Amino acid sequence: MDSVTQILLGSAVGYATLGNKLGRKSLLVGAAFGTLPDLDVLINFGGDVENFVYHRSFSHSLIIQLLLSPLIAWLIAKMHWTKSVSLTRWSVAIFLIMGTHALLDTFTVYGTQLLWPVSNYPFGISSVFIIDPMYSLPLLLAFIALCFTRLQPYATKINTAALVLSSLYLTWSLAAKWHIDNKIQHALTNKMIAFKQFESTPSPFNTLLWRAVATTEQGHYEIYASIFDSVNEVDIRFYKTENHVLNLLDDDQRIALLQNFTKGLYGVYQQEQSYVFSDLRMGLEGFYVFSFEIAKPFENNIELSDFRQLQNRPPLNRASLVFKRITDPYVNLSLIHTE
């Protein structure tokens, strides 16, 4: 999730575990440790591909967090203002703050390596968008309320209510995803479309309109479906890709990393004088957030490129169409023509 939401969640968990001992200071403690796992973005893992794949690895591992929490607690306990909290309670609080950060990230599609180094599998439920105001709003309102002294008698109830409401929203997102996946599967079956890999993700800022990708040997289908769509109103469009190019390239660890991390949901495109590897899970056709230049034509062959990440974000001026599409199945969200 976005950094602001993680700060708010960390503050709420911090207050739930430390509030009766530290008061409003627990909000700051929660905000700090709720941010800590995402500081791995400051680390250069060796290149654009490695930075993409290894983000949310060791710093988001529940195993590493469990091992580090007592050490961090021991260091914190040396400060004078922390003496009112036992070492055990500090350890539990820190683990819960960082652990809920990692668990919340698994609800997005990116991929979170919860069991690193035992496993580098990127867990991703893909039931909420990386920024979702409906999840964050209860936590934000509670954070603001807890900053006012006159509301302190009700602070615990306010904080608990915010955590319950935000958790209920995550539960709703799982139900919505099940409903959408079922609807899309019926639509694909009706059109006799077979596929290899499939994933659905919420469209930006909501869980009412969903985008899905279904891959085949020749390309992939980009699919839009609203909670309110009938099966026949699900929008399915096919796009050809050049994935066979990967067979012409020498083995390279970076290609294997990308294939595994995207769970097979990728497309290779020829753009001008280069071949581009795109993660189909994030963005939309023609504008994928994580795209890397992997190769270039050379004489009568193809040679590996530098795997630099391309700036290819979707245009913001079409964001309003997302909300129109929720209730109107005739709104076209495609930016390029199908073949």
Side-chain angles (χ1 to χ4, degrees), residues 91-238:
S91 299
V92 172
I94 292 169
F95 175 68
L96 288 177
I97 294 168
M98 294 195 297
T100 50
H101 174 125
L103 290 173
L104 178 59
D105 275 347
T106 64
F107 281 84
T108 66
V109 72
Y110 188 96
T112 307
Q113 298 175 44
L114 294 178
L115 300 180
W116 188 95
V118 175
S119 169
N120 61 1
Y121 180 79
F123 293 90
I125 298 172
S126 184
S127 66
V128 291
F129 189 67
I130 192 171
I131 301 174
D132 194 321
M134 292 300 294
Y135 176 83
S136 307
L137 186 59
L139 299 174
L140 174 61
L141 294 177
F143 180 86
I144 294 173
L146 266 57
C147 290
F148 290 95
T149 305
R150 60 184 176 182
L151 293 177
Q152 287 306 301
Y154 313 101
T156 299
K157 291 183 178 179
I158 293 172
N159 192 61
T160 301
L163 287 170
V164 169
L165 286 173
S166 60
S167 297
L168 286 175
Y169 183 74
L170 291 181
T171 303
W172 148 255
S173 74
L174 295 174
K177 182 178 176 67
W178 176 86
H179 174 71
I180 286 292
D181 285 356
N182 186 58
K183 184 182 298 185
I184 292 175
Q185 296 285 354
H186 277 88
L188 292 172
T189 299
N190 289 348
K191 293 181 179 292
M192 294 183 290
I193 295 174
F195 57 88
K196 295 168 56 180
Q197 305 291 338
F198 172 86
E199 184 63 271
S200 62
T201 60
S203 62
F205 318 128
N206 76 97
T207 50
L208 298 177
L209 177 65
W210 294 65
R211 174 185 176 273
V213 172
T215 61
T216 70
E217 292 289 348
Q218 295 75 33
H220 64 269
Y221 293 90
E222 183 178 54
I223 306 158
Y224 286 98
S226 167
I227 290 292
F228 307 109
D229 284 355
S230 67
V231 171
N232 292 332
E233 290 172 333
V234 173
D235 185 13
I236 304 174
R237 297 169 189 263
F238 179 78

Side-chain angles (χ1 to χ4, degrees), residues 251-269:
D251 290 339
D252 189 283
Q253 181 187 11
R254 291 168 292 185
I255 291 177
L257 285 174
L258 289 171
Q259 288 177 312
N260 291 332
F261 192 75
T262 58
K263 303 174 184 176
L265 293 158
Y266 62 85
V268 177
Y269 302 82

